[in-house]
Amino acid sequence: MRRFLRPGHDPVRERLKRDLFQFNKTVEHGFPHQPSALGYSPFLRLMAIGTRSGAIKLYGAPGVEFMGLHEENNTVMQIHFIPDQCQLVTLLDDNSLHLWTLKQHSGTSELREEHRFTLKGPPGSPPSATQITAVLPHSSREVLYLGTESGNIFVVELPSFRVLEDRTITSEAVQQRVPEEYCNRRSCELVEALREHPKNPDQILIGYSRGLIVLWDLQNNKVTHHFLGSQQLENLYWQRDGSKFISCHYDGSYTQWPVSSDNRQPEPLENTVPYGPFPCKAISKIYWQTTRNGLPYIIFQGGMPRASYGDRHSISVVHGSQQTAFDFTSRVIDFFIIFSSEPTAEFDDPSAMVVLAEEELVVIDLKTAGWPAVHPPYLASLHCSAITCSHHVSNIPLKLWERIISAGSKQNIHYSNMPWPIDGGTNIAPDPPQRDLLLTGHEDGTVRFWDASGVCLHLLYKLSTVRVFLTDADPNDNMNTPGEDEWPPLRKVGTFDPYSDDPRLGIQKIYLCKYSGYLAVAGTAGQVLVMELNDEDAEHVVDHAEADLLQDQEGYRWKGHEKLKTRDGPVRFEAGFQPFVLVQCQPPAVVTSLALHSEWKLVAFGTSHGFGLFDHQQKRLVFVKCTLHPSDQLALEGPLSRVKSLKKSLRQSFRRIRRSRVSSRKRRGGSGNASEVQEANAKFDQEALQEMELAPVQRKIEARSAEDSFTGFVRTLYFADTFLRDSSRHCPSLWAGTNGGTVYAFCLRVPPAERRMDEPVRAEQAKEIQLMHRAPVVGILVLDGRSTPLPEPLEVAHDLSKSPDMQGSHQLLVVSEEQFKVFTLPKVSSKLKLKLTALEGCRVRKVTVANFGSCKTDDYSENDLAVLTNLGDIQIISLPFLKLQIRYPCIRKEDVSGIASCVFTKYGQGFYLISPSEFERFSLSSKWLVEPRCIVDIPEVTSNNHVHNKSGMENAARKS
């Protein structure tokens, strides 16, 4: 009975576990999903983005990030910073207002929600009476002006959100000063815009949707000027000196209006339709920025001709004879201009335009000729093409890091050298202890290299595999060059491009050796490319080899997509990773597993049909092994085939149900009468209950039939130098695990370096292990004589790891979806196993070895297994004794794509997609933690107006 009892409580181990393991979700990398609002504080130099899910995110200098979440999870409609304060107000689509404050706590700043408020009208009034359409935080920092659908403007006190009813500006009071014939023709309707006079805080400009604009005197509660527009109003903007303002309209026009000191009826100075005379789309927002040379910048959103360009998302910049319509690949949410806000400045002198589009953030440098884009240090559009896989590499050597950055800098020559203009706050986080890379594979055949060392996920380099293949698109085509006489003068900006020329180009597996600089990339159509890093552009022929994984099988016919056609002759490649050999799997199915051994110059690859080994030094196929079962018809249809074996799946399900019913009938219909059977069942149940009380509940692992589809699907490949034939000699080996619970082991003979090019690499199958429960094998690992995982290739040669212990006996760990099992080598006899404990059908989805260091001392660290299950839980399991250390809930079990996208790091961190455009970063380690630590100091306020002094600002240093 001892084996059923729970192990005793070990207080020393419990203390050590607290020093080793701690779960934290630390930071969200990438671009916010479904952004809905944008705000900017020239005082704090911080930008705020709101989303449809109720999140609000603040960004400043690189590393300065804050996040808040509204409890209501409603869409954020508007964001407004309170002038000269560390406060902002958000308006949600449920008509509620929320006040947020940046407060300092324990040496860092935190974003906290202080108050919430919903504007309510008198009893019996319609909802439109208080539906907020415009918000104006007054420069006094004491009140908010709230324009509504009814045309009334309510005044709310800050920070209490108390309505000051005696200061309400009613539409009736406004209409008293407007000509009667105009009021009869056009009612005030909803308030479209509220703007404070830049020189006189006692005056505000009120714009109504039907075109009426009035200047309201707050002291005397009256209209001083009214402006009668003939078109539906969209927005207003004051010129810096307050002598004029601009209104923009639904018909694609904008109008300049003078504001005289006397009470004469003002007439418009100029009405312009920039892209007329044909009907145009609305201009929804406009800026008029003054400059020292006298020529203003006129910047407006929309206004394109409806018939020809009605589907474009554009913002136009006009400066003298220069005019460009920036064409964005997704809908523009909002934009703002960064300009001089010094109290003594006479002109605006705009420096940058910041545009929040639905799928990316674009910053345009307005100071440099040609108005180039600025490379963003954060808020990267991860999903510019859909992410198909990811791969993390820890502790990159400095030389490789510099070479990758150098290759990336040659790609960024079209970007501006302007420093990042949103530079508020100070990053006080310690410098990252090491250089980490996150590689993402994309649907368009590209691999992007991200600096994942710190809080900012920054793009270093982009690799494209398209040049190797013949596709419909010519990579030399430049769609971004407008003709000299083209009108409107459109220019594509941004990187978001969700359309792939060919879905077969999609990257499925990536493997980078950080010591040798070799990179293996595998794709959707069975293509495996091996690349090496070259610091210069080069033109060369890519060698081709075919791996027929069905060579010993007859009667099979591939029903899926064809392989990609390759280019003949030399191909020109940019500096960076350049392919030198292509291995094409036949049939051209998705590559499901990939392994690279840069010391032996070998690459292994697997599909749903089998696996193969390729010598990329001699450019020769070593062997292929077909793993296809006679019943694996589904594996021949391919992922892009629309025809799925639904009938077969249903038939197999009914067979299983029928078998379980028959077996239960046999148990019930055995010898003896019904009462004896009932008694035996009751006794069995009682014994089972007693067993459950003594031991943790373990789900019975269901044996699977070999007839289940995709049994030959190769899930994992692993190289190891270990004892495979006998205990006296170790040799290189390749291990492969399949979906049907089979493990294949091949002995490899790799010639020594001096004869490496003369003698072929030879392989011979040495072992074949069939797990009894036939669960898919998701991980294979060999432990040396010290029960330590074998080091990576070339890790020992670079003095970054101890040599493996080849004196003691090695152990093989096979991780299936349902259990962990340790075998002795070379006999492959079962030594230890751990069944996954769960009542709800828990299965392993991801597994990796992670090194956990103690947060109390640098002298202790240990290797454990980090395991992600289909329930979204993360379990840490000790090596080599397979004891569960701790379990953390991490991802919702319904979030299948998040679980599938998860990638662990070597030091107990991880990433998973929380949306198509965002990675959530988490840490399992008490010692390794990457999270924002920043502070926002309040600059000195020099007056009660917008004017402020930036002298108190500190800019966070950029990471090297």
Side-chain angles (χ1 to χ4, degrees):
M1 292 296 291
R2 188 176 299 164
R3 68 190 182 96
F4 291 109
L5 296 173
R6 293 180 185 273
H9 183 75
D10 184 356
V12 176
R13 180 62 189 172
E14 291 301 316
R15 276 198 303 273
L16 182 58
K17 278 158 62 172
R18 285 196 292 273
D19 296 343
L20 293 172
F21 313 123
Q22 183 181 354
F23 178 73
N24 288 287
K25 290 186 179 180
T26 55
V27 66
E28 293 176 4
H29 295 301
F31 184 75
H33 185 49
Q34 295 182 325
S36 56
L38 177 68
Y40 178 67
S41 169
F43 174 70
L44 300 173
R45 298 183 71 84
L46 294 178
M47 171 181 66
I49 296 176
T51 70
R52 289 191 208 170
S53 59
I56 179 169
K57 300 184 178 186
L58 270 62
Y59 300 93
V64 177
E65 295 184 14
F66 303 94
M67 180 178 169
L69 186 64
H70 296 88
E71 288 182 10
E72 296 80 0
N73 290 342
N74 288 73
T75 299
V76 180
M77 302 299 291
Q78 295 182 36
I79 302 172
H80 300 273
F81 281 88
I82 308 299
D84 304 337
Q85 294 289 306
C86 285
Q87 290 183 315
L88 64 152
V89 170
T90 56
L91 172 67
L92 305 190
D93 64 352
D94 64 354
N95 207 42
S96 63
L97 286 165
H98 302 254
L99 179 66
W100 298 81
T101 304
L102 280 169
K103 287 194 171 180
Q104 293 193 14
H105 176 71
S106 302
T108 62
S109 297
E110 295 179 355
L111 182 64
R112 294 181 183 174
E113 185 177 357
E114 297 289 325
H115 299 287
R116 64 186 64 187
F117 164 75
T118 302
L119 186 62
K120 294 178 181 176
S125 61
S128 62
T130 54
Q131 184 68 42
I132 299 170
T133 56
V135 179
L136 172 64
H138 195 261
S139 60
S140 66
R141 308 186 293 277
E142 296 173 354
V143 291
L144 287 178
Y145 290 89
L146 307 176
T148 62
E149 279 189 7
S150 64
N152 295 330
I153 297 166
F154 295 89
V155 186
V156 174
E157 192 177 49
L158 285 176
S160 63
F161 279 135
R162 184 171 64 91
V163 178
L164 304 176
E165 296 183 1
D166 58 324
R167 294 173 63 177
T168 299
I169 305 170
T170 64
S171 56
E172 291 79 11
V174 170
Q175 287 176 349
Q176 286 176 5
R177 183 63 196 275
V178 179
E180 192 173 337
E181 66 275 9
Y182 189 89
C183 288
N184 292 338
R185 189 159 46 91
R186 293 170 177 273
S187 63
C188 286
E189 277 211 349
L190 64 84
V191 177
E192 198 70 60
L194 292 170
R195 298 287 180 264
E196 183 179 338
H197 194 292
K199 298 297 183 183
N200 184 358
D202 291 332
Q203 292 183 336
I204 62 171
L205 200 61
I206 306 170
Y208 296 93
S209 62
R210 288 289 182 91
L212 172 65
I213 306 164
V214 300
L215 188 62
W216 182 266
D217 186 337
L218 298 173
Q219 290 291 335
N220 301 310
N221 287 328
K222 67 174 187 178
V223 173
T224 61
H225 297 74
H226 63 271
F227 310 85
L228 304 177
S230 59
Q231 292 293 333
Q232 182 174 321
L233 181 71
E234 291 290 319
N235 221 319
L236 298 170
Y237 186 78
W238 277 107
Q239 289 192 21
R240 189 178 187 94
D241 60 2
S243 64
K244 293 190 285 286
F245 69 89
I246 319 297
S247 63
C248 54
H249 303 275
Y250 182 76
D251 66 342
S253 67
Y254 63 85
T255 306
Q256 291 188 66
W257 302 87
V259 180
S260 58
S261 55
D262 53 29
N263 292 330
R264 285 180 302 164
Q265 171 59 35
E267 293 293 330
L269 290 175
E270 183 184 5
N271 185 63
T272 308
V273 183
Y275 295 112
F278 302 107
C280 295
K281 291 183 70 179
I283 295 180
S284 55
K285 189 172 184 177
I286 191 165
Y287 281 84
W288 185 289
Q289 301 277 280
T290 57
T291 60
R292 294 184 186 282
N293 64 10
L295 292 172
Y297 277 84
I298 306 166
I299 303 168
F300 56 89
Q301 178 184 345
M304 284 281 143
R306 283 186 182 277
S308 306
Y309 301 96
D311 59 341
R312 300 299 180 98
H313 313 290
S314 70
I315 294 178
S316 298
V317 181
V318 182
H319 179 58
S321 60
Q322 286 179 274
Q323 181 164 348
T324 299
F326 293 100
D327 186 10
F328 298 87
T329 54
S330 57
R331 184 172 63 91
V332 174
I333 303 297
D334 201 355
F335 75 102
F336 61 85
I337 306 298
I338 297 177
F339 56 90
S340 174
S341 50
E342 292 290 335
T344 56
E346 189 179 348
F347 303 101
D348 293 313
D349 285 328
S351 58
M353 176 173 71
V354 181
V355 183
L356 176 67
E358 202 164 35
E359 304 292 352
E360 62 187 325
L361 184 83
V362 178
V363 178
I364 303 295
D365 177 2
L366 298 176
K367 288 285 190 186
T368 306
W371 300 331
V374 182
H375 197 53
Y378 48 71
L379 284 174
S381 181
L382 299 175
H383 65 316
C384 42
S385 173
I387 294 175
T388 47
C389 66
S390 51
H391 174 68
H392 188 275
V393 188
S394 299
N395 212 1
I396 302 292
L398 179 61
K399 187 175 181 182
L400 176 63
W401 186 263
E402 289 174 342
R403 292 178 71 190
I404 291 172
I405 290 175
S406 173
S409 64
K410 292 174 183 176
Q411 296 176 335
N412 294 336
I413 56 173
H414 301 299
Y415 281 102
S416 166
N417 294 321
M418 173 190 227
W420 185 243
I422 305 164
D423 55 6
T426 307
N427 179 15
I428 59 173
D431 291 334
Q434 60 188 30
R435 295 169 292 274
D436 288 355
L437 273 180
L438 179 67
L439 282 68
T440 54
H442 298 264
E443 192 180 43
D444 62 355
T446 58
V447 178
R448 284 169 168 80
F449 290 64
W450 305 92
D451 176 2
S453 314
V455 171
C456 296
L457 195 68
H458 180 59
L459 181 65
L460 299 177
Y461 165 69
K462 184 180 87 169
L463 160 71
S464 177
T465 62
V466 178
R467 287 184 178 271
V468 181
F469 306 103
L470 285 168
T471 60
D472 295 336
D474 185 350
N476 296 316
D477 283 349
N478 189 357
M479 307 294 289
N480 202 25
T481 309
E484 288 183 11
D485 300 324
E486 184 181 344
W487 187 263
L490 288 164
R491 189 175 108 197
K492 282 272 186 196
V493 284
T495 59
F496 179 70
D497 182 11
Y499 307 108
S500 172
D501 297 323
D502 193 326
R504 295 175 296 172
L505 289 167
I507 306 297
Q508 297 295 330
K509 295 291 173 184
I510 306 168
Y511 197 104
L512 171 67
C513 174
K514 62 186 178 185
Y515 304 112
S516 65
Y518 282 114
L519 172 70
V521 169
T524 302
Q527 70 270 28
V528 180
L529 286 162
V530 185
M531 313 185 191
E532 59 184 342
L533 194 53
N534 190 345
D535 297 329
E536 302 296 332
D537 293 5
E539 188 171 358
H540 60 256
V541 175
V542 178
D543 290 294
H544 296 75
E546 284 217 349
D548 183 6
L549 298 172
L550 295 180
Q551 58 183 6
D552 298 328
Q553 304 287 329
E554 292 183 1
Y556 286 99
R557 187 170 62 86
W558 171 246
K559 303 173 188 175
H561 50 266
E562 295 180 355
K563 69 175 184 178
L564 285 159
K565 293 177 182 176
T566 54
R567 293 181 184 272
D568 297 326
V571 182
R572 183 157 190 82
F573 297 102
E574 296 176 342
F577 286 95
Q578 299 172 352
F580 61 88
V581 68
L582 164 68
V583 184
Q584 178 62 56
C585 299
Q586 287 289 9
V590 174
V591 177
T592 57
S593 53
L594 185 69
L596 177 73
H597 201 294
S598 47
E599 192 172 355
W600 301 337
K601 305 291 193 294
L602 299 174
V603 61
F605 49 87
T607 72
S608 52
H609 307 117
F611 60 95
L613 181 67
F614 186 80
D615 178 353
H616 65 76
Q617 185 165 0
Q618 292 189 10
K619 297 172 183 173
R620 170 183 164 273
L621 191 66
V622 179
F623 78 91
V624 292
K625 169 75 176 176
C626 181
T627 57
L628 206 60
H629 190 270
S631 67
D632 279 350
Q633 291 299 322
L634 197 58
L636 292 165
E637 294 186 356
L640 303 179
S641 169
R642 294 181 180 275
V643 183
K644 296 294 179 188
S645 299
L646 182 60
K647 289 182 181 176
K648 182 170 182 182
S649 301
L650 289 169
R651 194 161 56 243
Q652 287 175 345
S653 300
F654 283 123
R655 276 182 192 159
R656 274 197 286 270
I657 294 168
R658 204 159 46 239
R659 276 201 296 268
S660 64
R661 284 177 180 169
V662 169
S663 60
S664 62
R665 279 199 208 103
K666 284 178 180 176
R667 283 198 299 270
R668 287 199 298 270
S671 59
N673 56 29
S675 61
E676 286 177 354
V677 172
Q678 216 168 7
E679 194 177 325
N681 283 342
K683 187 178 179 184
F684 175 79
D685 289 344
Q686 193 175 358
E687 288 173 357
L689 280 169
Q690 288 173 353
E691 217 174 81
M692 285 167 71
E693 286 167 8
L694 288 168
V697 180
Q698 290 191 331
R699 184 174 62 86
K700 185 182 175 185
I701 294 177
E702 177 190 350
R704 304 182 188 210
S705 165
E707 295 176 4
D708 286 356
S709 294
F710 282 107
T711 55
F713 185 118
V714 180
R715 290 286 289 267
T716 183
L717 290 162
Y718 177 71
F719 285 109
D721 186 358
T722 187
F723 301 94
L724 198 53
R725 292 196 177 281
D726 56 56
S727 55
S728 58
R729 287 178 300 171
H730 56 88
C731 66
S733 63
L734 172 66
W735 301 76
T738 72
N739 225 33
T742 308
V743 177
Y744 300 94
F746 281 75
C747 272
L748 307 178
R749 184 189 171 278
V750 181
E754 61 273 12
R755 299 196 305 276
R756 183 65 178 81
M757 288 300 293
D758 304 325
E759 298 178 16
V761 175
R762 301 193 183 279
E764 183 182 354
Q765 185 169 338
K767 307 284 183 189
E768 182 174 335
I769 307 165
Q770 178 61 60
L771 301 178
M772 296 298 291
H773 58 290
R774 298 182 184 274
V777 177
V778 295
I780 298 172
L781 183 68
V782 172
L783 306 175
D784 69 5
R786 293 188 293 264
S787 298
T788 303
L790 294 182
E792 293 178 25
L794 296 175
E795 194 172 10
V796 176
H798 284 74
D799 297 325
L800 294 170
S801 174
K802 291 181 181 177
S803 297
D805 184 352
M806 302 308 247
Q807 305 302 318
S809 59
H810 284 197
Q811 301 171 77
L812 170 70
L813 171 64
V814 177
V815 181
S816 76
E817 281 191 356
E818 300 186 350
Q819 73 176 17
F820 302 79
K821 198 164 188 177
V822 176
F823 299 89
T824 59
L825 287 176
K827 290 185 178 179
V828 193
S829 56
S830 178
K831 180 180 179 182
L832 184 68
K833 70 178 174 183
L834 169 68
K835 296 177 184 177
L836 217 59
T837 303
L839 286 171
E840 301 170 24
C842 181
R843 298 191 179 203
V844 176
R845 284 288 175 260
K846 306 273 180 176
V847 62
T848 195
V849 176
N851 183 269
F852 292 93
S854 170
C855 63
K856 297 285 179 66
T857 174
D858 294 333
D859 299 334
Y860 183 81
S861 68
E862 65 180 42
N863 292 307
D864 297 289
L865 289 176
V867 179
L868 175 69
T869 73
N870 63 330
L871 303 180
D873 291 339
I874 290 178
Q875 303 182 12
I876 298 175
I877 294 170
S878 67
L879 286 174
F881 300 112
L882 302 183
K883 299 289 185 186
L884 177 63
Q885 300 301 298
I886 203 156
R887 177 188 285 121
Y888 301 112
C890 180
I891 311 173
R892 291 181 302 108
K893 64 180 179 181
E894 298 84 11
D895 187 3
V896 178
S897 60
I899 292 171
S901 66
C902 182
V903 56
F904 288 109
T905 78
K906 193 176 176 182
Y907 295 99
Q909 294 186 54
F911 303 82
Y912 69 93
L913 287 172
I914 52 173
S915 74
S917 59
E918 290 173 291
F919 273 113
E920 175 81 71
R921 187 179 192 133
F922 62 87
S923 174
L924 306 170
S925 169
S926 299
K927 184 175 182 180
W928 299 88
L929 194 66
V930 175
E931 62 178 352
R933 286 184 59 81
C934 43
I935 191 165
V936 175
D937 293 318
I938 303 178
E940 289 181 30
V941 181
T942 56
S943 75
N944 287 335
N945 209 333
H946 300 318
V947 180
H948 64 271
N949 189 350
K950 290 188 295 181
S951 60
M953 299 298 293
E954 290 181 43
N955 297 340
R958 286 173 181 262
K959 299 194 306 297
S960 61

